[in-house]
Amino acid sequence: MKQITQRKNRNRIIASLLFTLFLITGIILFLSRTKEDFGRQPTTSVLYKLSDIYTAGSIFDRNHTLIAKGLSVGQMQWNEDNTIRQSFSNIIGAPIKKTSASCYSVLGMAAPTLYGYHKTCLDDWKQWIFPQSKNGEPIYLTIDVDIQSAIYHSTKQFDNAVVTVSNYQTGEILGMVSLPTFDPTDPDSIVVDKNGFIDTTYHHSCYINKNLQTSFLPGSTIKPILLGIALDINPDLVNMTYNCKKTTHNFHGISVGCYDGEYHGKVDFESALCCSCNGYPIQLLSQIEESDFEQGLLQLGLDSNETYPNRFAAVGSTFYGNGEHDIANRTLATIGQANCRMTVWYLTSLYAAIFNDGIWKNPTIFYNDPNQLGKGNPEETLIYTKNTASILKKALIAVTKKGTAAVYDMSSLGFTIAGKTGTADTASGKRTVWAVAGIIDNQKPYVITVCLPDQREDASGSTVAGPVMREILLKLLQK
């Protein structure tokens, strides 16, 4: 009887061991199959844990210039050059444990690599269960230090400036500056509340990357984007003309004037963009059905919850915002007012599609493998037909030759620039002014957006943002 009991116990132990082995094997197989996706979504609490364990990996620019590296757990050593430190400060981001907005910073996006999340979870289970201080892996930004420095020096006289430079053929972000900035090597420059957190609201914006984290009224820069929707629906609308005069600027009971009370007379598609006529796009877009228009907005990623690969994050851009989808909001949003809001990066990406035959490229701001630099993300979306993109590009080239963006025409240097300016009136009485430029050149396929919020009430895209764009273009073209 005793031998039978012992045999049963031994069998139970063997069965338990086999079940445990089977269970562990299943978990390992599951994790190995889902390793990439599993490692991309660490929670905030996990990141906090890792930042207490790992010394962050090194951060390089696309030319392997060291921007910052982990010195010890929770401590970063930055490049000695003040321009590099300042211009990258809120792009790299404040320490993860001091901000709730880390998802919009490089430290947050690249955390699985910089803080060893992939390796800890799957390749080194002992480290995950019994944590010891270790070093993270390096990342390689798509940003070019020289481009970053050029942007910074061209805008540092402004209290508030936001600039993005992208390669429209690859989707790689080549430069991204958000002013004001802070000195990450100065402990006194990082001000925290009683809970130890940084205030990352707009009014303390030195800590945030406003290219990704803040949206602005786009003014007239939205017009080509919306006209592209209409041309994809009905290509014949490119032939529409409009008589811009006082009596024709009342739309469904809403009176809309052109910039500072100007009227332009008879305009066609190209000349209307050149002089930035407000009546023309409102009249043209009234020719398409609301349902078709809203489908076009979704195709462009507006008023939708977009997600991007490789943990890239940005707040949403919107046409209607929280307002009603009615004729009043549609009329005013068509000229970049009302509830229409765009992040600087996203507006840049939509113009990039215009210059890239209608193809929108997924954004990239860093790689784990430096051999990927210059290749971009293979994922892409056709948001305009090639014909529509060609019409828009031709009109935008005309805007820099004889329109509101003529201040940054670069034909004297042998370069063709397509561009658009914009001016938006805000509720505060101040203006947000814009300038967008695309270098139509296969050697430098760059698209640049300059956004200058909180400008005086007589400022415009042409007179304030335009000269800044010219300075940046001269630096990039002579680089």
Side-chain angles (χ1 to χ4, degrees):
M1 188 70 178
K2 184 176 180 181
Q3 289 179 340
I4 293 174
T5 301
Q6 289 176 338
R7 190 181 302 113
K8 286 182 178 180
N9 289 337
R10 186 168 61 251
N11 289 341
R12 286 172 184 158
I13 292 171
I14 292 172
S16 297
L17 290 173
L18 289 173
F19 176 77
T20 302
L21 180 63
F22 177 79
L23 183 62
I24 292 173
T25 302
I27 291 172
I28 291 172
L29 287 172
F30 170 75
L31 291 178
S32 66
R33 290 176 181 271
T34 60
K35 176 177 180 177
E36 184 177 358
D37 291 334
F38 183 77
R40 281 185 176 176
Q41 303 299 331
T43 63
T44 300
S45 60
V46 168
L47 291 181
Y48 283 5
K49 176 181 174 67
L50 289 170
S51 64
D52 279 338
I53 300 170
Y54 269 68
T55 298
S58 298
I59 302 172
F60 299 92
D61 88 325
R62 66 184 301 111
N63 300 312
H64 295 203
T65 300
L66 180 66
I67 308 301
K69 67 177 181 179
L71 190 62
S72 59
V73 175
Q75 297 293 321
M76 299 285 288
Q77 181 180 20
W78 285 75
N79 191 294
E80 294 181 356
D81 186 285
N82 183 60
T83 295
I84 292 176
R85 290 201 309 274
Q86 293 281 350
S87 65
F88 278 94
S89 60
N90 47 35
I91 310 303
I92 302 299
I96 283 179
K97 294 197 73 170
K98 294 185 181 296
T99 174
S100 58
S102 61
C103 64
Y104 303 110
S105 70
V106 168
L107 285 180
M109 294 181 200
T113 302
L114 286 173
Y115 292 104
Y117 184 67
H118 290 296
K119 187 173 182 179
T120 301
C121 283
L122 303 168
D123 299 328
D124 193 353
W125 58 271
K126 291 180 182 178
Q127 170 66 16
W128 185 249
I129 298 173
F130 307 107
Q132 297 177 358
S133 179
K134 296 189 70 175
N135 295 323
E137 302 294 327
I139 63 165
Y140 300 84
L141 301 178
T142 59
I143 293 175
D144 185 314
V145 158
D146 292 335
I147 293 177
Q148 189 80 348
S149 298
I151 299 170
Y152 180 74
H153 284 298
S154 296
T155 55
K156 65 179 182 179
Q157 73 270 29
F158 293 94
D159 293 330
N160 198 346
V162 193
V163 182
T164 291
V165 180
S166 290
N167 182 315
Y168 56 77
Q169 293 179 351
T170 65
E172 291 182 342
I173 294 168
L174 304 176
M176 194 171 262
V177 170
S178 176
L179 295 171
T181 61
F182 67 97
D183 186 349
T185 63
D186 180 5
D188 294 334
S189 70
I190 300 180
V191 181
V192 297
D193 61 19
K194 62 181 181 180
N195 297 314
F197 274 85
I198 291 170
D199 184 351
T200 54
T201 62
Y202 178 77
H203 296 292
H204 295 81
S205 58
C206 67
Y207 302 118
I208 65 174
N209 178 5
K210 287 178 288 187
N211 287 279
L212 303 177
Q213 201 173 339
T214 307
S215 58
F216 302 94
L217 287 165
S220 293
T221 59
I222 196 67
K223 293 173 184 174
I225 304 300
L226 302 177
L227 291 174
I229 294 176
L231 293 186
D232 269 358
I233 295 170
N234 182 0
D236 291 337
L237 287 173
V238 72
N239 299 315
M240 191 196 90
T241 59
Y242 171 75
N243 194 1
C244 176
K245 57 184 182 180
K246 187 175 182 179
T247 56
T248 61
H249 271 261
N250 191 289
F251 300 94
H252 305 281
I254 303 168
S255 181
V256 178
C258 284
Y259 175 74
D260 284 351
E262 297 177 353
Y263 293 101
H264 307 108
K266 187 175 181 179
V267 292
D268 58 16
F269 189 89
E270 185 175 288
S271 62
L273 281 175
C274 283
C275 65
S276 205
C277 176
N278 283 338
Y280 186 91
I282 296 172
Q283 183 66 28
L284 188 146
L285 286 168
S286 70
Q287 307 300 307
I288 61 176
E289 296 293 332
E290 175 65 20
S291 58
D292 293 334
F293 179 63
E294 292 200 19
Q295 185 59 42
L297 293 175
L298 291 175
Q299 176 70 15
L300 299 185
L302 296 172
D303 293 305
S304 63
N305 296 318
E306 292 290 311
T307 57
Y308 309 104
N310 204 27
R311 290 175 52 84
F312 187 90
V315 300
S317 293
T318 179
F319 180 80
Y320 282 114
N322 294 323
E324 295 293 329
H325 291 210
D326 57 22
I327 195 64
N329 279 320
R330 177 171 169 174
T331 298
L332 294 174
T334 296
I335 58 174
Q337 295 289 158
N339 297 305
C340 184
R341 297 289 188 281
M342 299 289 291
T343 61
V344 174
W345 162 74
Y346 202 70
L347 184 73
T348 306
S349 76
L350 293 178
Y351 271 89
I354 293 174
F355 305 139
N356 193 38
D357 295 331
I359 299 171
W360 188 89
K361 301 289 291 187
N362 262 311
T364 307
I365 197 169
F366 74 91
Y367 295 105
N368 298 334
D369 179 4
N371 294 318
Q372 291 297 112
L373 287 163
K375 297 179 181 179
N377 192 309
E379 297 180 42
E380 57 188 34
T381 305
L382 186 69
I383 63 172
Y384 295 121
T385 64
K386 187 174 182 179
N387 182 61
T388 292
S390 177
I391 292 170
L392 292 172
K393 182 166 66 174
K394 179 175 178 290
L396 293 172
I397 291 172
V399 174
T400 61
K401 289 189 177 297
K402 56 186 178 182
T404 59
V407 67
Y408 50 89
D409 176 37
M410 292 288 137
S411 56
S412 61
L413 297 179
F415 287 94
T416 298
I417 306 296
K420 186 74 185 78
T421 60
T423 305
D425 293 309
T426 68
S428 68
K430 294 183 179 181
R431 283 180 164 175
T432 299
V433 297
W434 300 73
V436 181
I439 304 173
I440 311 305
D441 184 271
N442 284 328
Q443 298 303 310
K444 294 188 175 184
Y446 303 163
V447 55
I448 307 104
T449 300
V450 173
C451 175
L452 303 174
D454 301 331
Q455 296 301 304
R456 62 185 187 273
E457 61 183 13
D458 62 341
S460 73
S462 297
T463 60
V464 179
V468 175
M469 177 64 80
R470 178 178 177 80
E471 185 176 331
I472 291 173
L473 281 171
L474 286 171
K475 291 175 180 177
L476 297 187
L477 295 176
Q478 294 171 355
K479 178 177 178 294

